[in-house]
Amino acid sequence: MYEVLSKDIIETEIIPHLPLAKRGFKTKSYLIEIVNSILYKLKTGVQWTYLPVEYLFTGHALNYKTVFNRYRQWCKSESWEHCWVMILEKYRDKLDLSSSDIDGSHTRAMKGGEEVGYQKRKRSNTTAIYLTDRQGLPLAMSQPVAGNHNDLYKPSVQNRK
């Protein structure tokens, strides 16, 4: 099994911030492996369809749709964002904030989305602006904003003291 983070780090740093199923269908795979699969997708940028689930799971491999649905549930409940904020706050002293960078990523949104804007040079709808520290670690990301924006508009993670 490929590991983006070790099982111990996922279990101690991420899983406590994610909601667990209270009733209904119980997954046949470990929650650690589902989180690892999501992190693999976010790190590599592979499409959900091409997520190598046989390689990422030991024992019973889940379908990529099941992994995506779990990720979507956590995003909608803002659990994924809460987890990210808590990790940033916990390891704040390790961030290099001597400078920060803002960069836009015009990711193609072929099927549209909540808010996308047309980019002529890409000939498609695009979205997103990111804020990173000096080492390139992501600190904040804008909500999808239609049009050509060149400023950080309502970032997901605000400065907390």
Side-chain angles (χ1 to χ4, degrees), residues 17 39 81-82 92 95 103 107 118 122 128 134-135 144:
H17 304 290
L39 294 174
E81 182 179 344
H82 174 70
R92 174 181 248 165
L95 298 174
D103 192 12
T107 306
Y118 184 76
K122 297 260 189 177
R134 187 178 187 122
Q135 299 173 18

Side-chain angles (χ1 to χ4, degrees), residues 17-74:
H17 304 290
L18 299 176
L20 301 175
K22 295 178 182 161
R23 60 188 172 116
F25 179 76
K26 301 279 187 193
T27 182
K28 295 178 184 175
S29 298
Y30 296 109
L31 196 57
I32 293 170
E33 292 177 342
I34 295 171
V35 171
N36 185 53
S37 299
I38 292 168
L39 294 174
Y40 177 87
K41 191 272 186 248
L42 295 175
K43 182 176 181 178
T44 62
V46 67
Q47 295 175 6
W48 287 104
T49 308
Y50 299 116
L51 191 67
V53 289
E54 295 83 18
Y55 186 60
L56 293 169
F57 288 93
T58 57
H60 185 282
L62 296 178
N63 189 305
Y64 74 91
K65 293 178 184 178
T66 307
V67 177
F68 170 74
N69 286 335
R70 186 60 67 99
Y71 173 68
R72 187 172 172 186
Q73 288 171 351
W74 290 336

Side-chain angles (χ1 to χ4, degrees), residues 89-100:
E89 286 179 0
K90 183 174 182 179
Y91 296 104
R92 174 181 248 165
D93 59 330
K94 303 218 186 292
L95 298 174
D96 185 0
L97 298 175
S98 60
S99 72
S100 60

